């Protein structure tokens, strides 16, 4: 009696799986585009939020690298009695410069003067611009730059000449050196305009006069109100401990020492804090896109019952039917994910270009976003795939 052979289902190779999985997508391109659009919007939102946040953070870190985190500022603190005015010694800048590890020291002194475009403008309309005396080494210590003109030197600092911070220049309507501004009872010639100074915003809003000129022309008493110092990176902590006792050995509590770079550090550390809400919205959009994919796959199963019944009757197993529809769902989600990554990267690039920021899109965001689309595609395709695999070949062909 001849032995009967058991029939075994044909195996589907990777190429076969991709072919049968993409068949449904190729036959309904409009539906594929609309379904993938929901996934694309969610991923694009998430990539853009992370990319914009990372680009802004990179810009802050770039500024910190350029300006350095090794600058400290000393100012008068509160006196022992309420309301007592505290003054730093006249030689405070020189004493700070002698501290071991300090590479440079400079100072400014506040003046009770006002600066206006001309004497015809009321004295009360100062525009929030302060007038300060400045030492010659100030620009080097704060690592400032000149937008135009020159900085104060031993010659120009003795005469009625002034350098404007960029905010002060904007408020005064001064766009180039050579113009004149009215300080107290005389005109001063503008010899320079500074670039923005993120670590010294008080300088941006000031009109800076030479130290000797301020004493001779504006009644400056010679006491600095702010001392800036730049030290080596390794000695910042030691210098910070020594600044107050060096400036005022008898009353070091009267000297306040600050780190102006700490604000930029904190801002860089918290740059992504406000992105959480937008990331949540992107996640919701991604879930909505996943629901759309699941709905599309269910409709596809209902419309293709004849195909499913025919394949089952020709020997396709339930597992092969499941693989077919899960693959189709994955391909649909993957297309949306790729489009979303491209859109999110383009949105980040447009924002960075408009704001003069470096274009940064973290690889973890791209990889994580695309992985999320595949996970959602798998979940969205499971139920339709299981439903399709359970269809009876006889009933499926009869329903067709």
């Amino acid at each position: 009696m001849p032995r009967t052979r058991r029939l075994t289902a044909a195996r589907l190779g990777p190429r076969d799986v991709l072919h049968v999985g993409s068949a449904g997508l190729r036959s309904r391109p409009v539906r594929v585009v609309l379904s993938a659009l929901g996934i694309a919007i969610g991923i694009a939102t998430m990539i853009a939020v992370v990319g914009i946040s990372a680009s802004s953070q990179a810009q802050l870190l770039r500024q910190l690298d350029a300006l350095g985190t090794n600058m400290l500022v000393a100012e008068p603190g509160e006196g022992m009695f309420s309301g007592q005015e505290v003054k730093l010694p006249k030689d405070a800048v020189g004493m700070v410069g002698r501290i071991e590890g300090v590479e440079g020291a400079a100072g400014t002194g506040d003046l009770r003067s006002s600066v206006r475009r001309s004497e015809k403008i009321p004295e009360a309309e100062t525009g929030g611009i302060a007038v300060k005396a400045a030492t010659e080494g100030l620009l080097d210590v704060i690592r400032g730059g000149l937008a135009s003109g020159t900085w104060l030197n031993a010659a120009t600092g003795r005469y009625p000449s002034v350098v404007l911070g960029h905010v002060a220049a904007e408020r005064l309507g001064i766009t180039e050196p050579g113009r004149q501004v009215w300080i107290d009872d005389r005109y001063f010639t503008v010899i320079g305009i500074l670039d923005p100074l993120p670590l010294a915003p008080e300088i941006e809003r000031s009109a800076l006069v030479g130290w000797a000129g301020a004493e001779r022309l504006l009644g400056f008493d010679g006491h600095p109100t702010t001392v800036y110092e730049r030290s080596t990176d390794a000695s910042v902590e030691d210098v910070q401990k020594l600044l107050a006792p060096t400036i005022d050995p008898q009353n070091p509590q009267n000297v306040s020492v600050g780190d102006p770079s700490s604000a930029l550090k904190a801002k860089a550390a918290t740059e992504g804090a406000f992105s959480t809400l937008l990331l949540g919205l992107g996640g919701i959009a991604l879930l909505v896109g996943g629901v759309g994919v699941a709905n599309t796959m269910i409709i596809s199963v209902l419309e293709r019952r004849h195909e499913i019944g025919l394949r089952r009757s020709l020997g396709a197993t339930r597992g092969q039917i499941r693989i077919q529809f899960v693959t189709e769902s994955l391909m649909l989600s993957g297309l949306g994910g790729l489009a979303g990554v491209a859109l999110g990267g383009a949105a980040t690039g447009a924002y960075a270009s408009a704001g003069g920021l470096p274009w940064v899109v973290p690889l973890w965001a791209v990889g994580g976003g695309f992985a999320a689309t595949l996970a959602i595609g798998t979940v969205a395709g499971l139920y339709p795939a299981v439903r399709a695999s359970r269809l009876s070949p006889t009933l499926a062909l009869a329903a067709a």
Side-chain angles (χ1 to χ4, degrees):
M1 186 173 180
R3 297 178 59 184
T4 59
R5 293 184 179 180
R6 295 183 60 185
L7 296 177
T8 58
R11 293 184 178 180
L12 291 177
R15 184 174 180 180
D16 298 322
V17 171
L18 292 176
H19 179 74
V20 298
S22 62
L25 303 182
R26 294 195 303 268
S27 62
R28 298 170 180 83
V30 176
R31 183 184 298 175
V32 168
V33 171
L34 294 177
S35 298
L37 185 60
I39 295 288
I41 291 174
I43 290 298
T45 302
M46 299 177 74
I47 295 293
V49 167
V50 174
I52 290 172
S53 177
S55 297
S56 300
Q57 189 177 48
Q59 176 70 2
L60 290 174
L61 294 176
R62 179 182 291 182
Q63 287 181 346
L64 279 173
D65 289 339
L67 299 173
T69 57
N70 56 348
M71 187 178 79
L72 299 174
V73 177
E75 297 176 308
E78 296 182 0
M80 296 179 60
F81 304 101
S82 178
Q84 180 181 6
E85 182 180 2
V86 176
K87 290 186 176 182
L88 300 182
K90 290 185 177 181
D91 58 348
V93 174
M95 291 189 295
V96 169
R98 290 191 289 269
I99 299 176
E100 183 178 359
V102 172
E103 297 179 328
T108 61
D110 291 342
L111 301 174
R112 296 180 179 177
S113 303
S114 62
V115 55
R116 292 163 285 164
R117 184 66 183 267
S118 71
E119 75 275 15
K120 298 180 180 179
I121 296 176
E123 187 174 354
E125 297 182 11
T126 62
I129 303 172
V131 181
K132 297 177 181 288
T135 59
E136 294 177 24
L138 177 64
L139 200 61
D140 292 332
V141 172
I142 64 177
R143 293 186 182 174
L146 284 160
S148 58
T150 59
W151 176 245
L152 299 163
N153 55 39
T156 58
R158 296 182 56 83
Y159 297 97
S161 55
V162 62
V163 174
L164 300 177
H166 89 283
V167 174
E170 289 177 356
R171 293 178 180 177
L172 290 170
I174 305 295
T175 58
E176 59 185 1
R179 303 294 181 87
Q180 291 188 319
V181 294
W182 184 261
I183 300 179
D184 281 357
D185 58 352
R186 70 179 65 207
Y187 277 104
F188 279 64
T189 301
V190 177
I191 62 172
I193 298 175
L194 298 178
D195 283 327
L197 298 168
L199 292 187
E202 68 280 0
I203 301 296
E204 296 180 336
R205 300 185 293 270
S206 300
L208 304 171
V209 180
W211 202 268
E215 290 178 327
R216 187 169 65 89
L217 303 173
L218 300 176
F220 177 46
D221 61 6
H223 288 275
T225 50
T226 306
V227 176
Y228 302 86
E229 71 80 28
R230 183 77 67 170
S231 55
T232 61
D233 293 332
S235 60
V236 173
E237 293 185 5
D238 294 335
V239 172
Q240 189 169 11
K241 296 176 183 178
L242 294 173
L243 266 181
T246 300
I247 293 175
D248 193 343
Q250 295 182 344
N251 299 293
Q253 71 277 3
N254 290 345
V255 181
S256 173
V257 178
D259 178 6
S261 66
S262 59
L264 281 180
K265 293 177 186 176
K267 188 175 180 181
T270 60
E271 184 61 37
F274 294 102
S275 302
T276 304
L277 177 61
L278 293 177
L279 281 175
L281 293 176
I284 293 174
L286 191 58
L287 289 176
V288 171
V291 172
V293 171
N295 185 55
T296 299
M297 295 307 301
I298 291 174
I299 294 174
S300 179
V301 169
L302 294 176
E303 291 179 346
R304 297 162 64 188
R305 285 180 295 178
H306 178 72
E307 173 194 334
I308 296 169
L310 183 60
R311 289 197 61 209
R312 287 298 310 280
S313 65
L314 293 176
T317 64
R318 288 184 175 183
Q320 291 172 349
I321 297 297
R322 286 194 293 267
I323 290 175
Q324 173 186 347
F325 282 92
V326 169
T327 301
E328 184 174 331
S329 177
L330 279 172
M331 296 178 71
L332 179 57
S333 299
L335 289 174
L338 289 175
V341 169
L343 289 173
T348 302
Y351 178 87
S353 177
L357 305 177
W359 181 25
V360 179
V361 178
L363 290 178
W364 65 262
V366 175
F370 190 70
T373 63
L374 297 182
I376 286 179
T378 302
V379 174
L382 280 177
Y383 172 72
V386 171
R387 182 171 178 175
S389 68
R390 290 179 177 177
L391 285 175
S392 168
T394 304
L395 294 178
L397 290 172

